[in-house]
Amino acid sequence: MTEYGRGRGPEPWHPEDPLYGDQGWTGHQTQQGQAPYGDPHQGYPQEQQYQQQYPEQQQYAQQPQYEQQQYPQQEYQQQGQYPQYPQQQAYAPQAPQAPQQPMYDSQGWDTGQGQYAVPAPADPYAGADPYAQQAVAGYPGEAPDLYATPEAYPPPQPPGRRHVEPAPQEDEESDSALSADGGRDGDGDGDEPSGGGRRGGRSKGGKGGKAKERSGAACLVATLVIVAVLGGGGYYGYTYLKDRFATAEDYAGEGTGETVDVEIPKGSTLAQMGNILKKQGIVASVEAFTTAAGVNPKGKTIQAGVYTLRKKMSGAAAVAFMTDPAKLNVITVPEGKRNVEVYKAIDARLGKPAGTTEDIAKREAKNLGLPAWAGNNPKLIDPLEGFLYPARYDVGKDSTPESLLKQMVKNATDKYAELGIEGKARELGLENPLQVVTVASLVNAEGKNHEDFRKMSEVVYNRLKKTNDVTNQKLEFDSTFNYIKGTSDLNFSMKEARSLDNPYNTHFVRGLPPGPIGNPGAEALTATLNPDHGGWMFFVSVDGITTTFTQTYEEHQTLVAEFLERQKQKNGG
């Protein structure tokens, strides 16, 4: 056998030897301040006696283990009764040095601990253990017994008797907390010492009580969590099944007498509409509204805007109401519509007496937001004409004639600024931006469709030219005569039209009327700023639908004759 500390004889090594164990046993590591196995400083009594008898050998015994250099094992047989022991090998890093002198015990025999060496120069760091980083005892006689003191670890056990000890459990409370609680480190008087390295003053029963309390609390928390999860899951499961399979909640009938103005934004889906109605108390549920809209053939044609609806209406009643355009609480200004018609629509929608809005418009014209270049001509019939921009306007419970007129004027002013009509007026041979709007109103009134607008604007500009000797700079638009009369007749007395002295009558005066004769839309405005340049001078609508444009008066006379013949046959003449 090659285990350190065991011989080949029948007598075992003394169990009190601190190095008792096998050489390959690494379960017990070297403690700080303790030299590793094989260190000559870990001497035995016979070595200490020998070192006292031979002091000249001490300087070699102080060499640290890592400076030893191994040489082939030298065995010395003691006289008759001691077996031969193998030399202990060192596993620390080797440093070259002179061989050491062998060590002898009290009987003069080699112990196997030392190795041959020759004296070497004194090493100032020979007393320091490079691994433990603590000073090594200066003399062998001063080396402490590492296993005999009360603070020492128990001696290492042989491999056959090893067992893993459970790690000690730390107290859950800190030392400071224990000390602050009435001296819980002890029994309060300090007379009873702590035994076995454990803290005194804490009974096992008390600790068990704490554990039981924590265990009970944990069980209670776990139970509450389980109940909450099951309850929440059951609730959401019930809600899901109800929403999935149950009939949607709905009201019955046309609703109560209480009305609410509800605004539906542009681009709203049916579900979004239903959500708005539900929040306002109109319908009982979103599903009731969307289901009714899906059944109604017009359900997907509901327009954005303001609706005056009753509370607690059935989903079907709400859908039927909102699919009727007449029920939409809005005011729509069509392209080319005259102001007098817009005023009537506002009065009707707001429930005002007839003429209320028109009176406000004439009285408050300067306070409704007109631009500086508008409304200054005293010959204007209506300063707001051309400034009630064509669009759809929502009407709510707070709407007034003034608020609606201001919104319309603002939209028109913003659009004119966007198109830059102030800067383009001179380019078109016009005197001011108001004339641009006036031309656009004529184009919108005379054109039958949007495709004709650019040609119609070309006709206006050509007739306004000073070189026009055919009409002598007269526009001769029937729409201007109808504007004065407040009519829209195609058949009227041309003799009357040419004799009526009115600044708006283009059959009587040259040039443009003082102001617009309607509210032009975006396409008419764009066409006015970009005429066709086709040289058109005349136009006529033979069938009342299609407008035909000509460049010469002869072509125009032919078309006029055709038109008169059609009118004669239509009237039974």
Side-chain angles (χ1 to χ4, degrees):
M1 297 181 66
T2 59
E3 293 180 355
Y4 176 80
R6 298 184 63 182
R8 288 176 288 190
E11 182 179 356
W13 194 267
H14 196 283
E16 294 182 358
D17 187 335
L19 298 180
Y20 175 79
D22 58 328
Q23 181 180 359
W25 178 23
T26 60
H28 184 76
Q29 298 178 355
T30 304
Q31 305 299 320
Q32 291 186 356
Q34 176 182 347
Y37 300 141
D39 190 345
H41 296 132
Q42 192 71 29
Y44 301 102
Q46 63 269 24
E47 290 181 30
Q48 297 176 5
Q49 180 181 0
Y50 166 76
Q51 291 168 358
Q52 292 175 0
Q53 294 176 1
Y54 301 95
E56 65 274 12
Q57 298 296 333
Q58 293 181 2
Q59 58 179 338
Y60 306 112
Q62 296 178 3
Q63 297 296 331
Q65 178 182 357
Y66 69 90
E67 293 183 353
Q68 296 179 5
Q69 183 171 2
Q70 295 180 351
Y71 289 90
Q73 179 177 345
Q74 301 295 333
E75 298 181 355
Y76 293 88
Q77 181 74 27
Q78 293 185 2
Q79 295 179 358
Q81 62 181 15
Y82 291 99
Q84 184 177 359
Y85 297 97
Q87 180 179 347
Q88 171 67 21
Q89 296 180 359
Y91 295 94
Q94 301 295 324
Q97 67 177 23
Q100 297 180 354
Q101 294 296 332
M103 295 183 180
Y104 298 92
D105 58 9
S106 60
Q107 298 180 2
W109 297 98
D110 181 12
T111 62
Q113 300 292 324
Q115 296 177 350
Y116 294 101
V118 296
D123 187 355
Y125 301 102
D129 186 348
Y131 297 100
Q133 298 182 0
Q134 294 185 6
V136 180
Y139 297 94
E142 297 178 355
D145 187 352
L146 302 179
Y147 296 139
T149 61
E151 295 82 1
Y153 289 97
Q157 298 294 325
R161 298 176 59 187
R162 298 173 191 167
H163 63 278
V164 180
E165 296 183 359
Q169 297 183 355
E170 297 180 357
D171 293 335
E172 296 184 358
E173 298 179 359
S174 64
D175 292 345
S176 59
L178 293 174
S179 299
D181 188 12
R184 293 176 62 182
D185 279 345
D187 58 1
D189 54 8
D191 294 335
E192 183 178 348
S194 300
R198 304 168 66 104
R199 294 187 184 274
R202 176 175 297 199
S203 65
K204 294 184 178 180
K207 186 174 182 179
K210 286 278 188 177
K212 290 181 179 179
E213 291 179 2
R214 290 193 296 271
S215 177
C219 292
L220 177 59
V221 171
T223 303
L224 292 177
V225 171
I226 293 173
V227 171
V229 170
L230 293 177
Y235 171 76
Y236 285 111
Y238 169 77
T239 303
Y240 171 78
L241 293 176
K242 180 181 178 182
D243 295 341
R244 181 68 176 83
F245 300 104
T247 303
E249 186 178 358
D250 197 4
Y251 295 126
E254 301 294 327
T256 65
E258 184 179 0
T259 60
V260 180
D261 290 336
V262 180
E263 181 178 1
I264 303 298
K266 293 182 179 179
S268 298
T269 63
L270 289 175
Q272 292 171 336
M273 294 179 187
N275 191 40
I276 294 173
L277 296 179
K278 182 178 182 299
K279 290 181 178 179
Q280 295 289 337
I282 307 300
V283 296
S285 65
V286 178
E287 292 78 7
F289 177 80
T290 55
T291 301
V295 175
N296 192 313
K298 298 181 180 180
K300 295 183 180 181
T301 64
I302 299 176
Q303 302 181 32
V306 178
Y307 296 86
T308 302
L309 298 167
R310 297 176 181 177
K311 282 196 171 185
K312 296 185 178 182
M313 299 178 69
S314 67
V319 172
F321 188 93
M322 298 174 71
T323 52
D324 184 358
K327 301 300 175 89
L328 188 63
N329 200 8
V330 296
I331 293 177
T332 301
V333 179
E335 295 181 358
K337 186 68 65 177
R338 299 172 186 168
N339 279 8
V340 291
E341 299 178 58
V342 178
Y343 298 148
K344 293 178 181 179
I346 294 175
D347 289 341
R349 178 59 64 184
L350 297 181
K352 303 292 182 180
T356 300
T357 302
E358 183 175 3
D359 293 341
I360 293 174
K362 292 180 179 180
R363 185 176 64 251
E364 302 292 336
K366 295 183 179 180
N367 300 323
L368 297 177
L370 287 173
W373 45 265
N376 298 324
N377 192 334
K379 295 181 179 181
L380 290 171
I381 295 177
D382 186 351
L384 294 183
E385 195 74 69
F387 289 92
L388 305 183
Y389 190 73
R392 193 176 69 182
Y393 298 89
D394 295 329
V395 179
K397 61 182 179 180
D398 297 329
S399 297
T400 62
E402 293 87 347
S403 65
L404 291 173
L405 292 174
K406 287 182 178 180
Q407 187 176 357
M408 295 174 183
V409 172
K410 182 180 184 304
N411 287 351
T413 303
D414 292 344
K415 187 63 177 180
Y416 299 155
E418 176 187 341
L419 295 174
I421 64 175
E422 292 188 56
K424 292 183 178 181
R426 299 291 182 182
E427 297 178 8
L428 297 171
L430 302 176
E431 298 179 0
N432 51 60
L434 182 61
Q435 287 191 342
V436 177
V437 181
T438 301
V439 172
S441 67
L442 295 173
V443 168
N444 214 145
E446 293 288 345
K448 300 301 180 182
N449 52 65
H450 298 297
E451 297 177 359
D452 295 340
F453 287 161
R454 293 188 65 196
K455 292 180 179 181
M456 192 67 66
S457 64
E458 174 72 4
V459 170
V460 173
Y461 293 131
N462 286 334
R463 289 190 181 186
L464 290 177
K465 290 180 180 179
K466 294 180 179 181
T467 58
N468 174 19
D469 55 0
V470 180
T471 64
N472 296 320
Q473 299 179 4
K474 289 182 179 180
L475 295 180
E476 295 184 347
F477 279 12
D478 294 346
S479 56
T480 59
F481 180 79
N482 283 323
Y483 179 75
I484 298 169
K485 295 290 185 176
T487 60
S488 297
D489 294 337
L490 294 177
N491 299 318
F492 55 83
S493 172
M494 185 60 62
K495 182 178 179 180
E496 181 184 1
R498 291 176 178 173
S499 61
L500 179 61
D501 185 2
N502 188 289
Y504 279 84
N505 183 13
T506 58
H507 284 285
F508 184 84
V509 298
R510 296 180 179 181
L512 293 170
I517 61 173
N519 295 284
E523 293 187 18
L525 288 165
T526 303
T528 300
L529 299 176
N530 299 278
D532 179 72
H533 299 296
W536 312 114
M537 282 288 294
F538 303 95
F539 64 92
V540 64
S541 178
V542 178
D543 56 3
I545 300 174
T546 303
T547 303
T548 304
F549 295 87
T550 61
Q551 297 176 344
T552 64
Y553 183 69
E554 289 77 11
E555 295 174 327
H556 175 64
Q557 285 296 101
T558 303
L559 293 175
V560 170
E562 184 179 347
F563 170 74
L564 293 176
E565 182 65 24
R566 282 176 175 268
Q567 290 296 109
K568 183 178 179 181
Q569 294 177 359
K570 183 178 179 180
N571 295 329

